[in-house]
Each structure stands twice: as structure tokens, then as C-alpha cells.
């Protein structure tokens, strides 16, 4: 149905390696390789590959770039944001003490509590609670899933080494304590605040609000190689960095990813954000036009739930009028050649989203031309509806369980 050559997309690497082609309109997904880099970032990564380097010097260079990007005193790079959470917690527990670092995670001492709001205990591919536990942190759950009160945080902070705050579309979006209040209460008890802002475009706001450490993914909107950015107060950053001699060993970042992440951060500070936004808006517009008037289908661009400067096209499917449900359509898009992976996180509510952030040239048009044929195809209604829904809920784990079977 879709003739790949019509869109000028280069699939030569996938084809030569025998890998499935993928068009990603779902967002920055680990299961699809995170993000795609520019030539500039790819070149910086490649340049580091065949050379030795003093790693501490390269990390100090990263620290300068992170400081410019985030307003932090200092920073370092690690394998991922998830690793960054563990290292930040570890640093807050031990300070700059190599013997204490070596004792983690089994002997963290008595001051190893990590206060975190119940509504922030999300999963981003793994539970955030596990990133705390990997460092020897003892999670102190604050409040209930949809409400945190000030006194609950105050009471939880005794015996805490850190308080963790998560900014994400994955967390409960009402009843949570605002970051400034969270910081004020934690600081009054002398407890540093770590913010997991892995997927947030706001690179300065968390630290400006008083957070002691802010953590970002290098491979999400920044478009770097897989990496985690840990930024914050110098003493805590140094303590967290020390854990590369301990629990951080298995979270090691290589020189090539560091060079690429530095290039990605520099690129971010220079790039024409408005032009990229305009290109994303163009994609949303041609997609919305393509689905306009289709039976049982409604679509509308919606702002990102955590106010990132980004919109996605939400597509509702009414199975009484359209040939299939949203969950069935998600599966149908995945069966195309090339497969189109749409954002189906909330498909049980009767919609899916189209994310314009990771498009290669030609892909906006390819997606546009696939929309009407799929959304009017009676065959989509024949897809097993129950397993389509179960796939959306359990697919992430299923892919691991069925791997190599
Ligand atoms: C993606 C994400 C993570 C994990 O980031 P990685 O860099 O892939 O480890 C952690 N927290 C939140 C809120 C995320 O969105």
C-alpha cells in the first residue's frame, strides 16, 4: 500500500541488517532506540571512538556544558536518567566517602531514607522505586496516590538522605505538592531534593526553583546518544560521581556517548527551536487534514501534559461508527510496511496520539498517506480486540518474555 520509494526514506541500514523498518510517531521510546541524532552528534560520537582520552577530563568538559545548559554548578554524564537517579541518591547517602560508596547498596547506614510522593512512584520502563533501592535508599512514601499534604512530607523527612521529585506525564497530575513547596519543606529539614526531569524540556527551572540535583535523559528530546545528565550542586555532584567506583560501574557511559551527549547539548543551545516546532506543527496539520470527516474519527492537537513546548495529534475512534476501536487501529498501524508505531499509552480510553518529534524526512507524508486507508479499513475491526488492549497494557513486558522464543 505504501510504496517506500515514494517518500525518499533511506532504509538501507535496516534492510542490510535484516531489521524491521520502523516509523516512530510514538515519542522517545527505549524500545525503539530512544531518539535519532543529527549528523553533527553522530560525527562527534564517531570521532571519539578510535581514540583514548582521560575520562575525568572528558567528564569535566561535560560538566562545563551541563552547567551552561542547566545553570547548575556542575554535572556529569552516566548511562541513563535511571542510572542518574541511583547515583544521585547514592551520593546523598554517602557524601564523598569511598568506603561508604563501596558499602552500597547493602550497608547504607541509618540515614538512607528517600522521601517520595506516592503519586510520583511511576514506572518509566522500570519502577522509579527500584532506582532508589539500587542505591541502598529506603523509600519513604509520602501521602496518598492523589494527595500529598505538607505535614506528611515534613514527617517523612526524618532519617532521610534525600527527597525525590518526579516531573513527568507518567505521574499523577493533580493533588501533588508543587516543587517549590517540596523544596522549602525538605530544605527546612536539611534534606537535599533530587528532581527526575528525564523527559522535560525545561532544563533550568528545576534548579532555579531550588532543587539540588536535576536529572535528564540525553537521548530523549536532546537527541543525543543513550545517556543520563546529572546536574546540580557541586558537592553533591562530586559525591554522586564517586559512585562510578561502586554501584555506578554497571551504569558506565563510554567516551563515545559522552562526546555525542556533549555535542547534543551544544546543538540544543544553538538550534532553531522555532523552525523545528514549525515543522512539527506542519506534520500535525497534514495529519489532521487526512483524518477530517472520516466516520467515527475525531482528531485534535493537544499540548503536552507537562507543558513541554510540543503538541501531539490525539485521534479518537468511536467503534460504533468507525470500523475498529483505537486499540485495534494501533495494532493495524503496526502491521503496515513499514510499521507505524503510534502512541497508544492510553488506548483503553478510546484514543491514540501521533507524536511529531522523531520524524525523518518523508515520514510526515508517509504517515499522512497511511491514516485514511487504516482508519477506514474494515479488516482492522477483525483484529482481536481483547488482545489488542492487553498488548497495549502488557506489551512492554511481553516483548521480553517472548524474546528468542
Ligand atoms: C524516560 C524516563 C526515565 C528513564 O530515563 P532513561 O534515560 O531512559 O533511563 C526516568 N524518569 C522519567 C520521568 C522518564 O520519563
Amino acid at each position: 500500500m505504501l510504496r517506500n520509494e515514494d517518500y525518499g526514506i533511506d532504509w538501507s541500514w535496516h534492510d542490510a541488517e535484516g531489521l524491521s523498518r520502523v516509523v516512530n510517531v510514538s515519542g522517545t521510546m527505549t524500545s525503539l532506540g530512544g531518539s535519532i541524532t543529527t549528523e553533527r552528534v553522530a560525527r562527534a560520537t564517531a570521532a571519539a571512538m578510535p581514540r583514548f582520552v582521560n575520562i575525568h577530563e572528558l567528564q569535566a568538559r561535560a560538566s562545563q556544558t551541563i552547567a551552561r545548559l542547566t545553570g547548575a554548578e556542575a554535572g556529569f554524564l552516566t548511562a541513563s536518567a535511571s542510572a542518574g537517579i541511583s547515583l544521585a541518591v547514592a551520593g546523598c547517602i554517602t557524601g564523598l566517602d569511598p568506603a561508604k560508596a563501596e558499602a552500597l547498596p547493602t550497608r547504607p547506614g541509618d540515614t538512607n531514607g528517600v522521601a517520595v510522593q506516592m503519586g510520583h512512584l511511576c514506572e518509566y520502563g522500570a519502577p522509579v522505586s527500584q532506582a532508589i533501592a539500587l542505591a541502598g535508599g529506603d523509600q519513604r512514601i509520602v501521602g496518598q496516590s492523589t494527595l500529598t499534604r505538607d505535614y506528611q512530607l515534613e514527617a517523612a523527612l526524618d532519617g532521610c538522605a534525600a527527597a525525590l521529585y518526579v516531573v513527568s506525564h507518567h505521574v499523577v497530575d493533580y493533588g501533588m505538592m508543587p516543587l517549590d513547596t517540596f523544596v522549602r519543606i525538605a530544605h527546612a529539614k536539611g534534606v537535599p531534593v533530587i528532581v527526575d526531569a528525564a523527559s522535560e524540556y525545561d532544563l533550568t527551572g528545576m534548579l532555579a526553583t531550588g532543587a539540588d540535583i536535576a536529572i535528564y535523559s540525553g537521548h530523549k528530546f536532546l537527541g543525543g546518544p543513550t545517556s543520563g545528565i546529572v546536574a546540580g550542586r557541586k558537592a553533591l555532584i562530586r559525591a554522586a560521581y564517586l559512585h562510578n567506583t561502586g554501584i555506578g560501574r554497571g551504569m558506565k557511559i563510554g567516551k563515545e556517548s559522552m562526546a555525542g551527549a556533549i555535542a547534543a547539548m551544544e546543538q540544543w543551545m544553538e538550534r532553531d527551536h522555532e523552525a523545528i516546532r514549525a515543522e512539527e506543527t506542519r506534520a500535525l496539520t497534514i495529519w489532521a487534514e487526512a483524518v477530517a470527516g472520516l466516520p467515527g474519527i475525531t482528531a485534535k492537537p493537544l499540548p503536552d501534559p507537562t507543558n513541554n513546548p510540543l503538541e501531539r495529534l490525539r485521534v479518537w475512534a468511536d467503534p460504533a461508527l468507525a470500523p475498529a476501536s483505537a486499540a485495534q487501529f494501533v495494532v493495524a498501524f503496526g502491521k503496515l510496511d513499514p510499521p507505524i508505531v503510534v502512541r497508544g499509552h492510553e488506548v483503553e480510553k478510546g484514543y491514540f496520539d501521533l507524536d511529531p518529534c522523531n520524524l525523518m524526512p518523508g515520514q510526515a507524508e508517509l504517515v499522512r498517506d497511511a491514516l485514511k486507508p487504516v482508519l477506514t479499513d474494515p479488516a482492522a475491526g477483525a483484529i482481536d480486540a481483547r488482545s489488542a488492549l492487553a498488548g497495549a497494557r502488557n506489551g512492554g513486558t511481553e516483548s521480553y518474555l517472548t524474546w528468542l522464543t
Side-chain angles (χ1 to χ4, degrees):
M1 177 178 65
L2 297 163
R3 288 159 29 94
N4 284 296
E5 56 275 21
D6 291 348
Y7 301 92
I9 301 166
D10 175 11
W11 296 110
S12 57
W13 179 76
H14 293 83
D15 296 350
E17 298 292 332
L19 298 166
S20 306
R21 299 170 176 188
V22 179
V23 175
N24 177 17
V25 278
S26 66
T28 49
M29 300 296 151
T30 292
S31 58
L32 299 177
S35 56
I36 48 176
T37 70
T38 58
E39 272 304 307
R40 172 176 172 177
V41 172
R43 271 199 307 273
T45 305
M49 291 290 290
R51 296 180 167 90
F52 289 113
V53 63
N54 180 317
I55 280 290
H56 300 293
E57 244 176 60
L58 188 54
Q59 285 280 19
R61 170 84 173 68
S63 177
Q64 288 172 355
T65 309
I66 293 168
R68 277 203 291 133
L69 184 73
T70 65
E73 289 174 13
F76 68 91
L77 294 168
T78 181
S80 62
S82 189
I85 297 169
S86 297
L87 295 176
V89 166
C92 290
I93 291 174
T94 64
L96 197 64
D97 182 329
K100 286 186 179 168
E102 210 173 296
L104 293 189
T106 50
R107 285 172 292 116
D110 296 332
T111 311
N112 68 330
V114 178
V116 55
Q117 300 180 76
M118 185 184 270
H120 281 189
L121 284 173
C122 63
E123 96 100 49
Y124 44 69
V128 67
S129 49
Q130 211 166 21
I132 297 170
L134 274 171
D138 179 18
Q139 157 184 298
R140 306 277 168 81
I141 300 174
V142 183
Q144 281 73 44
S145 61
T146 54
L147 183 61
T148 314
R149 295 196 168 97
D150 293 5
Y151 75 85
Q152 293 171 327
L153 177 59
E154 273 161 31
L157 287 165
D158 293 322
C160 277
L164 178 68
Y165 193 96
V166 183
V167 184
S168 170
H169 68 274
H170 292 302
V171 306
V172 175
D173 68 355
Y174 66 97
M176 295 297 100
M177 194 180 287
L179 179 60
D180 56 349
T181 309
F182 192 86
V183 166
R184 180 169 48 73
I185 294 172
H187 284 182
K189 291 240 179 174
V191 176
V193 171
I194 302 167
V195 179
D196 170 10
S199 199
E200 300 309 299
Y201 284 53
D202 179 0
L203 294 159
T204 55
M206 317 301 160
L207 296 171
T209 305
D212 300 275
I213 295 182
I215 295 160
Y216 297 92
S217 289
H219 48 272
K220 291 188 178 168
F221 59 91
L222 284 166
T226 303
S227 52
I229 299 164
V230 187
R233 285 206 289 124
K234 191 170 177 184
L236 288 175
I237 291 299
R238 292 181 64 220
Y241 182 64
L242 174 66
H243 287 275
N244 282 298
T245 64
I247 62 159
R249 178 67 185 196
M251 309 171 186
K252 178 164 71 178
I253 183 168
K255 61 184 186 301
E256 59 285 347
S257 297
M258 290 175 58
I262 291 168
M265 290 188 281
E266 284 169 351
Q267 167 181 273
W268 183 259
M269 289 186 271
E270 293 160 21
R271 83 170 190 166
D272 186 347
H273 291 273
E274 277 183 17
I276 289 170
R277 184 87 195 268
E279 184 52 31
E280 292 171 2
T281 305
R282 186 188 75 84
L284 297 184
T285 306
I286 64 172
W287 297 341
E289 283 166 7
V291 302
L294 299 182
I297 303 295
T298 353
K300 193 171 139 190
L302 286 182
D304 177 78
T306 61
N307 295 324
N308 288 317
L310 156 73
E311 291 183 321
R312 300 184 180 91
L313 189 70
R314 177 151 298 173
V315 181
W316 286 267
D318 176 355
L321 300 170
S325 67
Q328 289 169 311
F329 284 131
V330 169
V331 174
F333 281 110
K335 289 184 172 186
L336 298 174
D337 175 22
I340 296 177
V341 184
V342 305
R343 192 172 176 93
H345 295 27
E346 300 175 16
V347 83
E348 74 281 3
K349 293 183 177 173
Y351 54 77
F352 60 85
D353 294 333
L354 301 174
D355 184 307
C357 282
N358 279 280
L359 295 168
M360 296 162 79
Q363 292 189 345
E365 289 72 20
L366 183 148
V367 170
R368 174 197 63 197
D369 295 346
L371 285 169
K372 184 175 172 188
V374 171
L375 295 173
T376 55
D377 184 4
I383 291 167
D384 180 351
R386 227 181 57 189
S387 77
L389 256 186
R393 296 183 59 247
N394 303 312
T397 309
E398 235 3 75
S399 306
Y400 286 90
L401 295 176
T402 54
W403 184 64
L404 295 185
T405 53

